[in-house]
Amino acid sequence: MVEKFDVIICGAGPAGATCALALGSSGLKVALVDKSNFPRDKICGDAIAAYVPKVLSTINPTYAKALADFTEKENVNTIRIVSPNTKTLDISYGVDGFISTRVHFDNFLLDLVKQLTNVKLFLHTAILDVVTNEKKAYVILADNIKLEASLIIGCDGEQGITRKKLTKTQLDPEHHAAAVRAYFKNVKDIPESTFELHFIDKVIPGYFWIFPLPNNEANVGLGIVSKSVAAKKLNLRQEMQRIIETNPSIKERFADAEMISKIEGYGLPLGSRKTTISGNRFMLCGDAASLIDPLTGEGIGQAIISGRYAGWQAKKCFEQNNFSASFMKQYNKIVYDKLWKEHKRNYFIRELIINKPKLFNALTSLLNKSKFLHNLTKKIFN
Ligand SMILES: Cc1cc2nc3c(=O)[nH]c(=O)nc-3n(C[C@H](O)[C@H](O)[C@H](O)COP(=O)(O)OP(=O)(O)OC[C@H]3O[C@@H](n4cnc5c(N)ncnc54)[C@H](O)[C@@H]3O)c2cc1C
């Protein structure tokens, strides 16, 4: 059985849902396919950048309004950086970012997509294969169901099938991180509207985080670049538990806390190298395109930005009836023009910290004194 569409979006996380929203007023017939049933979890720190409402409003101003009214979130406007020698630096922003579990946030985005009449959802439907040729693109589902379209947009994350099949690129430990997280209740002394990053000697340049959630809950985790995990022979789950149980500035705060989920881990494909993100009849977005910030580990905002650009580029493809690899390069340009400079700078900072971890203590003191460095840090974590 073959069902025909103009565009097939593979994956309905932030990248895929945003891409569908960007195609909402296009008149194109769109399929959005995800192997999960929503609401679904995605292992994450759940911190959503302050610029996200602005990006959504460029698609439709009512989406930013809907996000402002969305209640399953904890607003944050301050970042607390704690250095290995426990010096603390608080940096406040003018605008609120927020922490929202991915169960809630991704479902919020998908609910917006459900209002579109040109998008057909295939949930709980795993993609088994993707194929493109000169004339068409195909997505193969279970039960012998085949979807046909002019264009595929791969938004299926780190372990998705589109990157593997359409680009044949490999993940690279130099440009990849690993992270674990668990949900806790009743962690003590969580500062108001603040998300905390603790840079602890053994896990530098990664960090241990405590991100506040509604109902006195918190997302707690630990992430570090994969090459350092291998070099230091770290077991991240054990390391996270060790920090919670023994770190002098952290253990007291967890004395009465209850872990209300398992500690779970997942990979982060980092945007510190340019890779193949488009080709004949396809584009990749979000984690499928390796667009996570190499220092902060943020990828939700990048997924939303790239999903929007891919939707807009798809409209151009149909206007000009051009789905060639060379035409798709416009998408590469707009994505990397937006993200590359920042990712390159943050990769440079990360490498500096890896090679000279002691610098971190001096840097935190300096940051407390220098307005320039203070503002730079504000930029890095926004
Ligand atoms: C532990 C951890 C902490 C993190 N913390 C943060 C943070 O605090 N802030 C932040 O901004 N970023 C964070 N990130 C990164 C962030 O989670 C990702 O960048 C973000 O989820 C990327 O969104 P996406 O839409 O590209 O992919 P995903 O969110 O991974 O969505 C991909 C979708 O594709 C579907 N899919 C996959 N394969 C198939 C298939 N074969 N068939 C059908 N569907 C398929 C999946 O079910 C999923 O719904 C963290 C990552 C990790 C691992």
Side-chain angles (χ1 to χ4, degrees):
M1 195 180 103
V2 182
E3 200 171 339
K4 295 189 178 175
F5 293 89
D6 295 311
V7 182
I8 304 165
I9 304 171
C10 303
T18 307
C19 184
L21 293 174
L23 286 167
S25 56
S26 62
L28 296 170
K29 193 176 169 199
V30 178
L32 177 60
V33 189
D34 201 291
K35 66 180 177 187
S36 302
N37 226 345
F38 281 63
R40 65 100 180 86
D41 189 19
K42 153 75 176 79
I43 298 160
C44 188
D46 304 332
I48 293 155
Y51 63 74
V52 163
K54 206 165 152 190
V55 178
L56 291 177
S57 75
T58 60
I59 301 173
N60 184 334
T62 65
Y63 296 156
K65 167 85 175 65
L67 188 51
D69 294 343
F70 168 65
T71 52
E72 295 290 347
K73 65 184 196 296
E74 187 73 20
N75 285 5
V76 281
N77 51 35
T78 303
I79 170 173
R80 172 166 294 180
I81 296 177
V82 184
S83 63
N85 62 1
T86 68
K87 285 261 173 337
T88 296
L89 170 76
D90 282 349
I91 299 175
S92 294
Y93 299 92
V95 208
D96 280 353
F98 54 94
I99 318 291
S100 173
T101 67
R102 296 291 297 277
V103 173
H104 288 116
F105 181 68
D106 290 17
N107 200 50
F108 160 81
L109 289 177
L110 198 69
D111 277 346
L112 296 178
V113 175
K114 284 178 184 165
Q115 294 166 15
L116 304 173
T117 51
N118 65 322
V119 180
K120 178 166 175 182
L121 285 178
F122 293 80
L123 297 181
H124 206 22
T125 307
I127 296 165
L128 305 183
D129 201 4
V130 288
V131 183
T132 58
N133 61 34
E134 282 313 306
K135 293 195 173 137
K136 284 288 169 195
Y138 298 94
V139 168
I140 316 299
L141 311 176
D143 300 328
N144 245 344
I145 297 173
K146 197 173 182 181
L147 307 183
E148 180 188 296
S150 297
L151 184 63
I152 287 177
I153 305 184
C155 304
D156 47 351
E158 193 236 12
Q159 293 296 331
I161 199 165
T162 55
R163 172 187 57 79
K164 290 178 196 158
K165 293 293 295 211
L166 299 172
T167 73
K168 309 230 175 344
T169 53
Q170 305 287 331
L171 297 172
D172 172 352
E174 172 73 20
H175 304 284
H176 189 268
V180 290
R181 72 98 168 91
Y183 291 105
F184 281 80
K185 217 175 168 56
N186 301 329
V187 177
K188 264 191 271 186
D189 301 330
I190 294 192
E192 202 180 329
S193 309
T194 299
F195 63 108
E196 300 173 54
L197 310 181
H198 295 254
F199 289 84
I200 294 167
D201 267 335
K202 200 171 167 191
V203 295
I204 283 180
Y207 57 80
F208 173 84
W209 71 77
I210 305 174
F211 294 166
L213 280 163
N215 308 317
N216 208 20
E217 293 179 6
N219 180 318
V220 178
L222 175 68
I224 180 168
V225 61
S226 297
K227 68 172 180 182
S228 300
V229 175
K232 296 179 186 206
K233 297 192 173 60
L234 289 174
N235 175 320
L236 288 191
R237 280 182 185 81
Q238 284 172 9
E239 195 52 36
M240 177 168 150
Q241 255 160 342
R242 192 187 65 80
I243 290 170
I244 288 171
E245 285 162 18
T246 63
N247 185 283
S249 61
I250 288 169
K251 67 176 181 185
E252 281 309 313
R253 296 179 58 194
F254 283 81
D256 302 321
E258 180 194 353
M259 192 163 83
I260 53 174
S261 75
K262 286 189 289 191
I263 301 179
E264 293 179 285
Y266 208 74
L268 296 88
L270 305 176
S272 43
R273 63 166 177 171
K274 287 188 180 175
T275 182
T276 310
I277 60 170
S278 72
N280 180 47
R281 294 192 181 276
F282 79 89
M283 286 176 268
L284 303 181
C285 310
D287 283 10
S290 293
L291 291 177
I292 294 182
D293 185 299
L295 181 65
T296 66
E298 293 168 279
I300 301 168
Q302 286 83 339
I304 286 174
I305 286 175
S306 55
R308 178 192 61 171
Y309 284 147
W312 288 351
Q313 177 66 24
K315 285 195 222 174
K316 281 195 202 163
C317 291
F318 282 90
E319 277 158 19
Q320 303 196 22
N321 193 27
N322 191 341
F323 303 91
S324 65
S326 61
F327 192 64
M328 235 52 94
K329 289 264 185 300
Q330 293 184 2
Y331 168 71
N332 301 28
K333 179 168 176 357
I334 198 160
V335 167
Y336 285 127
D337 278 358
K338 181 80 184 166
L339 301 174
W340 179 243
K341 204 169 140 202
E342 202 168 303
H343 285 182
K344 207 167 114 190
R345 179 198 63 202
N346 288 358
Y347 176 63
F348 173 77
I349 295 173
R350 186 194 87 188
E351 289 304 292
L352 199 71
I353 298 171
I354 287 184
N355 294 325
K356 297 203 183 333
K358 294 262 178 298
L359 253 185
F360 206 91
N361 292 327
L363 206 64
T364 318
S365 307
L366 254 179
L367 282 164
N368 268 315
K369 291 177 198 143
S370 155
K371 201 165 176 201
F372 168 74
L373 287 174
H374 200 94
N375 285 337
L376 178 68
T377 314
K378 207 164 166 175
K379 263 196 192 157
I380 289 172
F381 286 99
N382 191 16

